[in-house]
Amino acid sequence: MTTTMRRIELLVDQETEALRSRSEIDLKDTNNRKSQALLELGLAARALEGGVLDEDIAVRLRGLRGKLERNQAMLQLHLEAVREVATIVADTIRDRDWDGTYSEHLGSGGAQR
């Protein structure tokens, strides 16, 4: 379990730092590796169900949770930026292609205001 947690921490730290520094990153590959490691962690945690959780593992899990929360916040920030850029591009394309056939001055039913 400790090895899996270390691997997840490393992956999350690398991704978070790449996002923070705007470095090139293969998000699909990173996401696949994180998903696999988190699946392994879940399986390891099931093996511990019903038992007393070692304090060192509990501390590491809390630390991992914090890292995952920071990673999620950074991913959310980048997702919002992508949405904004996509909106700007879509608006630009729409404005470029608009030929004035439909006017904002038309009311419901096509009657002019």
Side-chain angles (χ1 to χ4, degrees):
M1 186 164 189
T2 304
T3 302
T4 301
M5 284 191 295
R6 258 185 269 156
R7 194 166 93 238
I8 296 169
E9 288 174 344
L10 180 63
L11 288 168
V12 169
D13 287 343
Q14 288 172 342
E15 181 183 51
T16 303
E17 182 53 35
L19 291 168
R20 183 177 289 120
S21 66
R22 297 185 184 123
S23 300
E24 190 172 323
I25 183 170
D26 183 346
L27 289 173
K28 183 177 180 181
D29 178 60
T30 301
N31 189 55
N32 288 340
R33 292 182 2 215
K34 282 192 312 185
S35 294
Q36 180 64 36
L38 288 168
L39 175 65
E40 291 173 19
L41 182 63
L43 293 173
R46 280 193 206 129
L48 295 175
E49 275 184 21
V52 176
L53 189 61
D54 179 71
E55 184 59 31
D56 289 337
I57 291 177
V59 168
R60 287 200 74 140
L61 283 171
R62 285 190 294 274
L64 178 57
R65 175 180 285 176
K67 287 180 183 220
L68 287 168
E69 288 170 353
R70 286 186 293 281
N71 180 259
Q72 180 182 13
M74 187 61 63
L75 286 166
Q76 184 66 37
L77 180 67
H78 279 259
L79 181 59
E80 288 169 10
V82 167
R83 284 185 184 138
E84 285 182 35
V85 169
T87 299
I88 291 168
V89 170
D91 289 348
T92 301
I93 291 170
R94 186 184 60 243
D95 291 346
R96 187 197 72 202
D97 291 341
W98 184 68
D99 64 2
T101 302
Y102 301 101
S103 173
E104 292 180 11
H105 301 291
L106 293 178
S108 62
Q112 287 201 343
R113 294 185 193 174

